[in-house]
Amino acid sequence: MDDKQRIAFIGLGHMGGPMALNLKKAGHEVAGFDLSAEACSRHAAEGLRIAPSAAAAVEGAQVVVTMLPASRHVESLYLPQGEQAGLLAALPAGTLVIDSSTIAPASARKVAEAAQARGLAFLDAPVSGGTAGAAAGTLTFMIGGEAATVERATPVLKHMGANLFHCGEAGAGQATKLCNNMLLAVLMIGTSEALSLGQALGLDAKVLSEVMRRSSGGNWALEKYNPMPGVMEAAPASRGYTGGFGTDLMLKDLGLALEAALGANASVPLGGLARQLYAAHSKAGHGGEDFSSILKMLTGNAS
């Protein structure tokens, strides 16, 4: 396969937009599309070619990448809906399809089966690394699908991510992502709780964060994504909890994790509690803020 590909990228949000731009910077011919006119115009200004529709974006594409909010969006795009045939029907056999949305493993398997029936190569490949990782091209991809398809996709994925993990068959990437994000939610709540306690005890948040980061309490939130404003300049907490991974998105992922746990008869008590806390935080009006804003609930500064 040639190094440079014709790629359709559908979903140009906080994650998808930078990922599409990295593919363009790598020399691929990229056509992007998003239902948001604002997202399209923003990325057009950065040099990305914008197609008038998803169907137009995939015309002539060798690779299709999607980054959409939820299972229903992925299914409604790819699969038949009433009189609409779905995007898979518009793709010639052999097209590589990579869905990097975070969705239910069952939805990923459903789309994979439909793709396989049409002779398409499909991967579920959700990511971790946040908006900073998307911009830097250092994301971690958790991939479900056939090994040969993963090998074929690697030249494309390596321009968006630094770590590529083949987790198993179709749906395994999504299952891995749900486990990761459930742990992330629990870690963020625990980190916020410790920092809010330190604040109440009169400790300097920067000093406390550095001590915990280098001690047994060290974790990704302390290392890369501190939830206390002013501690870490690049973190969403220091810019009003904007531009990161939204509370409602974390709440969605926790719901998917609990749904998967129920189906597998697995015990996830901390995951369940985390979902309750994020649900309350969202209901209080913070659904659009970064998920690290859960610290507000613990400090009593929820305005």
Side-chain angles (χ1 to χ4, degrees), residues 7 9 18-30 65 155-157 159-160:
I7 302 175
F9 203 111
M19 292 165 68
L21 287 170
N22 281 334
L23 291 173
K24 178 184 179 298
K25 291 172 186 175
H28 295 289
E29 183 182 332
V30 183
V65 185
V156 173
L157 296 175
H159 293 304
M160 300 181 286

Side-chain angles (χ1 to χ4, degrees), residues 225 236-237 241-247 281 286 288-294:
Y225 217 84
Y241 297 104
T242 61
F245 184 67
T247 291
H281 190 50
H286 304 284
E289 296 177 351
D290 183 77
F291 80 106
S292 61
S293 66
I294 194 72

